[in-house]
């Protein structure tokens, strides 16, 4: 059954309908957070400066829209102002007074310099929830440092740990974990503040840093901070980097979730391989010995995998012995599976021309609401008139004057 087609979800509102978010964010951490809020039903109004969000210029692109920008900004309204001009700040303040949430991810101090910081806005809207995302937080000795995800990953131990477990081969991760994880934490904080506001009738300021987020989501941080001794021959913090990657006879590769040297898990691998003699092999008699001879154990597993015809077959054998495995796939390969189709995991978005482009759908399946991704990615300033007329209440002549004075700006499709 497709999303939103049950009787209850077809009739129910999206969870955040009625919530208005003014989005001053760009690139990834903030835009992903506000895409979540938009998918959940909030009216998100993205604010762009005249040069536009950096990701608008990424490739691939079609009809002057980049697929990167579309994935993070689908379903939002878009306004564009020259915020160096006082008039732009003043009409933004009028808009803030009609919003529930403001979110920004400039470096600390930028919004204050423009007169759009929390203290400047709360007097006209005491119910305002204001969230700031930054690299190292709005306070502290690193407050002025520039920060992007690769930098924060390096500073917070992620890049070092990834390289350490690969024998000192240090490299940037291709995924911007610091941005996306911080988006999740910021969205959760905003939702919590909205809930609290129902009881207090007051908004508040939320300061979320990428660096603290990467510590918070690091499931191995406790181990790196452990000062006491640990028993010899133990596997600390599960060590998923040691989990096997196996290639079967047809060339398919699978990742198995489980450390082959771990107590109990070793027996599962032995059962799947149907090699009971390994249970009595002195090299593998306990965890300490299995770790000492780990390369030999892995070699046995790699050779066994070559005798298994397909990925489906090895998954069946492993599952019979309480082990989970997943096929090594590309995003495209996953998107073309029956699973992705049945779950609606990929959604077709209007490319603002005559076709569509594919992006990931939202991950939530509510019984009483449709929370799937909807809408399109707007051109810069496309909703200037709608927002400032229907929400702020400016008349057509005033809006036209702001456009002539380049206070309000817009840019539609071009040949680029």
């Amino acid at each position: 059954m497709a999303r939103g087609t049950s009787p209850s979800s077809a009739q129910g509102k999206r969870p955040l309908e009625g919530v208005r978010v003014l989005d001053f964010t760009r690139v990834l951490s903030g835009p992903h957070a506000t895409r979540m809020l938009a998918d959940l039903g909030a009216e998100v109004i993205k604010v762009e400066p005249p040069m536009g969000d950096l990701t608008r210029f990424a490739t691939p692109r079609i009809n002057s829209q980049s697929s990167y920008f579309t994935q993070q900004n689908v379903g939002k309204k878009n306004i564009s102002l020259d915020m160096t001009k006082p008039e732009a700040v003043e009409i933004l303040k009028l808009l803030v007074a009609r919003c529930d949430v403001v979110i920004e991810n400039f470096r600390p101090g930028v919004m204050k310099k423009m007169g759009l910081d929390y203290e400047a806005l709360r007097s006209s809207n005491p119910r305002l929830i204001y969230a700031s995302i930054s690299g190292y937080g709005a306070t502290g000795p690193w407050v002025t440092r520039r920060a992007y995800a690769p930098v924060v990953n390096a500073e917070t131990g992620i890049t070092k740990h990834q390289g350490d477990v690969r024998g000192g081969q240090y490299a940037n991760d291709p995924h911007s974990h610091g941005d996306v994880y911080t988006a999740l934490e910021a969205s959760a904080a905003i939702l919590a503040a909205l809930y609290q506001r129902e009881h207090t009738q007051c908004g508040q300021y939320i300061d979320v840093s990428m660096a603290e987020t990467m510590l918070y989501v690091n499931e191995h941080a406790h181990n790196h901070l452990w000062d006491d001794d640990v028993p010899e021959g133990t596997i600390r913090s599960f060590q998923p980097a040691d989990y096997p990657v196996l290639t079967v006879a047809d060339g398919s590769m699978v990742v198995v979730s489980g450390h082959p040297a771990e107590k109990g898990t070793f027996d599962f691998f032995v059962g799947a391989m149907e090699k009971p003699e390994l249970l009595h092999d002195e090299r593998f008699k306990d965890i300490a010995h299995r770790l000492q001879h780990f390369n030999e154990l892995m070699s046995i597993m790699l050779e066994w995998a070559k005798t298994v015809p397909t990925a489906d077959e090895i998954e069946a054998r492993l599952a019979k012995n309480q082990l989970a495995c997943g096929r090594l796939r590309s995003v495209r390969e996953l998107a073309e599976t029956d699973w992705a189709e049945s779950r609606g995991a990929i959604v077709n978005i209007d490319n603002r021309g005559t076709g569509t482009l594919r992006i990931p759908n939202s991950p939530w399946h509510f019984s009483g609401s449709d929370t799937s991704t909807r809408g399109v990615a707007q051109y810069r300033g496309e909703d200037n008139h709608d927002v400032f007329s229907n929400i702020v209440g400016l008349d057509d002549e005033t809006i036209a004057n702001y456009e002539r004075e380049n206070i309000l700006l817009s840019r539609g499709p071009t040949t680029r």
Side-chain angles (χ1 to χ4, degrees):
M1 181 169 60
R3 294 189 187 195
T5 57
S6 69
S8 57
S9 64
Q11 297 171 9
K13 293 183 177 180
R14 290 183 181 240
L16 293 182
E17 283 192 26
V19 173
R20 181 175 292 141
V21 179
L22 193 58
D23 175 12
F24 287 92
T25 69
R26 69 266 195 259
V27 188
L28 183 54
S29 61
H32 187 69
T34 52
R35 179 190 162 181
M36 292 173 62
L37 300 177
D39 285 338
L40 287 167
E43 179 187 16
V44 176
I45 303 170
K46 183 178 177 74
V47 183
E48 285 191 74
M51 70 287 296
D53 190 312
L54 175 66
T55 61
R56 282 195 180 276
F57 308 101
T59 54
R61 54 193 297 109
I62 187 170
N63 300 319
S64 301
Q65 294 276 43
S66 80
S67 55
Y68 192 116
F69 180 87
T70 297
Q71 180 170 325
Q72 302 306 331
N73 294 284
V74 63
K76 305 173 187 177
K77 293 181 177 179
N78 192 288
I79 59 176
S80 180
L81 304 93
D82 183 351
M83 290 178 282
T84 66
K85 297 183 177 181
E87 297 91 340
V89 173
E90 289 308 309
I91 59 174
L92 280 171
K93 287 180 177 179
L94 294 175
L95 181 55
V96 167
R98 295 159 173 80
C99 292
D100 299 283
V101 177
V102 164
I103 178 170
E104 58 92 10
N105 66 345
F106 291 105
R107 277 182 294 158
V110 171
M111 291 292 278
K112 184 174 184 178
K113 186 176 180 180
M114 291 190 291
L116 293 168
D117 57 304
Y118 177 61
E119 293 303 322
L121 300 179
R122 64 184 298 192
S123 58
S124 62
N125 187 355
R127 287 170 52 84
L128 181 68
I129 293 160
Y130 191 116
S132 293
I133 296 173
S134 61
Y136 304 103
T139 61
W142 290 359
V143 71
T144 61
R145 293 184 68 187
R146 291 181 178 272
Y148 288 92
V151 174
V152 174
N153 286 353
E155 285 282 9
T156 55
I158 298 299
T159 305
K160 184 178 187 304
H161 189 201
Q162 289 174 333
D164 287 346
V165 300
R166 291 170 175 80
Q169 297 294 316
Y170 300 104
N172 289 323
D173 193 297
H175 297 277
S176 300
H177 300 297
D179 282 318
V180 177
Y181 280 130
T182 306
L184 300 177
E185 302 302 339
S187 295
I190 289 168
L191 295 176
L194 285 168
Y195 176 80
Q196 187 177 35
R197 193 181 69 176
E198 292 300 302
H199 301 277
T200 66
Q201 304 306 311
C202 294
Q204 59 186 304
Y205 177 70
I206 301 168
D207 170 13
V208 186
S209 79
M210 295 166 66
E212 288 166 286
T213 292
M214 293 311 291
L215 286 173
Y216 188 56
V217 302
N218 183 349
E219 75 268 34
H220 303 296
H222 65 92
N223 186 43
H224 296 297
L225 298 171
W226 185 269
D227 293 324
D228 297 333
D229 294 332
V230 295
E232 187 178 352
T234 59
I235 298 170
R236 298 175 60 153
S237 197
F238 299 105
Q239 297 303 321
D242 288 340
Y243 294 3
V245 181
L246 305 175
T247 303
V248 298
D250 69 359
S252 300
M253 300 176 72
V254 298
V255 174
V256 188
S257 183
H259 200 297
E262 186 66 85
K263 181 179 179 181
T265 308
F266 171 71
D267 301 66
F268 297 153
F269 278 105
V270 169
M273 293 187 292
E274 298 181 342
K275 293 182 180 292
E277 66 275 11
L278 296 179
L279 296 173
H280 309 289
D281 191 314
E282 284 295 309
R283 297 172 297 173
F284 310 131
K285 66 180 182 180
D286 56 29
I287 293 175
H289 282 78
R290 291 194 286 270
L291 289 174
Q292 184 179 349
H293 298 278
F294 190 69
N295 288 339
E296 296 164 69
L297 178 57
M298 286 298 299
S299 294
I300 292 170
M301 297 177 63
L302 291 168
E303 289 302 312
W304 165 72
K306 293 177 183 178
T307 70
V308 181
T310 65
D312 287 342
E313 176 63 22
I314 200 169
E315 180 171 4
R317 296 188 193 184
L318 291 165
K320 187 177 179 181
N321 289 274
Q322 303 184 55
L323 291 167
C325 83
R327 189 176 301 185
L328 206 65
R329 305 179 193 263
S330 67
V331 171
R332 178 177 293 276
E333 287 169 340
L334 179 62
E336 293 172 355
T337 62
D338 292 341
W339 171 85
E341 182 179 357
S342 67
R343 294 289 292 179
I346 303 295
V347 62
N348 290 312
I349 297 296
D350 188 323
N351 69 11
R352 304 306 304 274
T354 59
T356 61
L357 57 86
R358 295 194 294 171
I359 63 171
N361 208 341
S362 68
W364 318 290
H365 297 253
F366 281 52
S367 64
S369 302
D370 176 12
T371 56
S372 56
T373 295
R374 60 181 176 174
V376 298
Q378 301 290 81
Y379 292 110
R380 181 171 61 81
E382 187 171 352
D383 297 297
N384 283 346
H385 191 279
D386 174 45
V387 168
F388 288 106
S389 174
N390 295 329
I391 298 176
V392 176
L394 301 182
D395 58 50
D396 291 348
E397 183 179 354
T398 300
I399 293 172
N401 284 335
Y402 283 140
E403 290 172 343
R404 281 192 291 270
E405 295 168 7
N406 290 325
I407 295 165
L408 291 176
L409 307 104
S410 61
R411 184 176 186 180
T414 67
T415 57
R416 291 183 60 192

